[in-house]
Amino acid sequence: MAGLLEISKVSVEPLGQELHYRVTDSTTGTVVANVSPVAVGEPPQVSPLKRFGKRVMLGQLAGWPHLRRHVPRITVLVTDASNSPVMFLDRADKITGNPYASQCAVIEPDGRVAGYLTDDHYKSPMPTADVVDAEGMSIVGGRRHLRDQNGTAICDVVIRVAIPPLPGALNYDENVDTTRFVGQDGTVWARRRGQSPLLEISPDTPYPIRRMIVASVIADTITNDHQIVASSSKNPLTPLQAVPDPYPGYADVHSRYMEYQREFIEWYRKAMTG
């Protein structure tokens, strides 16, 4: 039986419990991995006065729920079919004022950093008719990357959208790539088609890239379920304190990113309000 880092068609399905998922080889229907939380941060304790102060600071942006919403740090453990650890996925806090999903670190079972799933918050996430590929699809590339342990980009996550004059039906066509994971030499290592959550990975994908792609599929599912929400009324996640830390180096793995996030929030507020 092929393992999690060997399969070519990957799907992630939520289970009944919060932050619990199973990963399936869609070719055979076999469950190849399970995902469960090991640490979930406490929501910030904000007094009414501080909450009012934040709204004043955000100004006209205060009415946007995705800016008001803080999402705590989430760390999950991925285990294989025999319940052996494969990797940790550690999503940094999304601080109030940041509209985008936060960085996720991919951690080996022994605590070594395998890589990062990152977004350039300063670049627009929206496709335009000005940037198209050879097939006329509008694309967003160079914003989201899979990076190795040194922070070097090894894969560009490219979003493809059909906008006029192309027919909108292309965005739902199961034969059309809507997401591509593109290596630094231009090789397409993985793809999603239409609106399917299924990810297809090329059998030739090198192990380091494959591992980060699989991690990205799981992390994206968690993000879509718990971090990118239309309303701040969504039930908060249940805190879960890891005792001791889930892996060595846990305390500092996001320290540089958190500083980056704070700097971006200040820049974004000024850019949006003038």
Side-chain angles (χ1 to χ4, degrees):
M1 182 182 71
L4 173 64
L5 301 183
E6 299 169 323
I7 62 177
S8 295
K9 293 188 177 181
V10 184
S11 61
V12 182
E13 304 167 10
L15 300 176
Q17 291 178 275
E18 182 180 83
L19 291 172
H20 286 73
Y21 301 87
R22 64 185 174 201
V23 185
T24 303
D25 177 353
S26 294
T27 301
T28 64
T30 304
V31 176
V32 294
N34 289 286
V35 181
S36 57
V38 292
V40 178
E42 294 275 355
Q45 300 300 314
V46 181
S47 69
L49 182 60
K50 285 187 176 181
R51 187 176 298 112
F52 174 76
K54 284 189 175 182
R55 290 206 173 194
V56 171
M57 180 188 72
L58 288 172
Q60 67 191 57
L61 303 180
W64 297 7
H66 65 295
L67 290 179
R68 295 202 310 269
R69 182 171 171 80
H70 169 275
V71 181
R73 182 176 180 178
I74 300 169
T75 307
V76 299
L77 174 63
V78 181
T79 55
D80 64 17
S82 64
N83 206 35
S84 297
V86 177
M87 67 180 97
F88 293 95
L89 302 180
D90 190 336
R91 175 78 72 182
D93 289 68
K94 186 185 92 69
I95 305 175
T96 302
N98 177 13
Y100 304 125
S102 52
Q103 165 181 286
C104 184
V106 181
I107 310 295
E108 299 279 14
D110 63 4
R112 290 178 295 129
V113 175
Y116 301 91
L117 316 175
T118 67
D119 284 87
D120 185 339
H121 294 343
Y122 292 92
K123 292 188 176 180
S124 172
M126 303 303 295
T128 71
D130 299 328
V131 183
V132 299
D133 62 15
E135 298 173 21
M137 297 284 281
S138 298
I139 63 172
V140 177
R143 171 183 169 81
R144 187 171 184 217
H145 293 97
L146 312 184
R147 300 181 181 275
D148 66 14
Q149 66 270 27
N150 299 314
T152 302
I154 58 175
C155 217
D156 186 13
V157 184
V158 178
I159 307 300
R160 305 175 76 242
V161 179
I163 60 177
L166 295 180
L170 286 175
N171 295 316
Y172 302 90
D173 189 327
E174 62 182 14
N175 298 308
V176 173
D177 295 354
T178 47
T179 304
R180 287 176 174 170
F181 290 76
V182 183
Q184 298 304 286
D185 63 355
T187 302
V188 178
W189 293 119
R191 65 189 77 224
R192 280 195 176 97
R193 303 179 193 270
Q195 301 305 303
S196 173
L198 173 69
L199 190 78
E200 302 174 34
I201 304 176
S202 168
D204 299 326
T205 304
Y207 174 79
I209 296 178
R210 177 181 290 270
R211 174 176 55 187
M212 297 303 295
I213 290 173
V214 170
S216 176
V217 178
I218 299 170
D220 285 350
T221 304
I222 295 172
T223 293
N224 292 335
D225 286 350
H226 297 287
Q227 299 207 188
I228 304 301
V229 294
S231 171
S232 59
S233 63
K234 184 178 177 71
N235 292 333
L237 289 163
T238 305
L240 175 63
Q241 185 65 41
V243 183
D245 287 349
Y247 60 84
Y250 173 79
D252 298 320
V253 73
H254 293 302
S255 56
R256 292 177 63 184
Y257 169 74
M258 297 306 289
E259 183 61 31
Y260 167 89
Q261 189 177 180
R262 294 185 183 95
E263 291 173 355
F264 168 74
I265 290 170
E266 180 63 20
W267 174 90
Y268 185 77
R269 181 183 66 82
K270 291 179 180 179
M272 294 296 102
T273 61

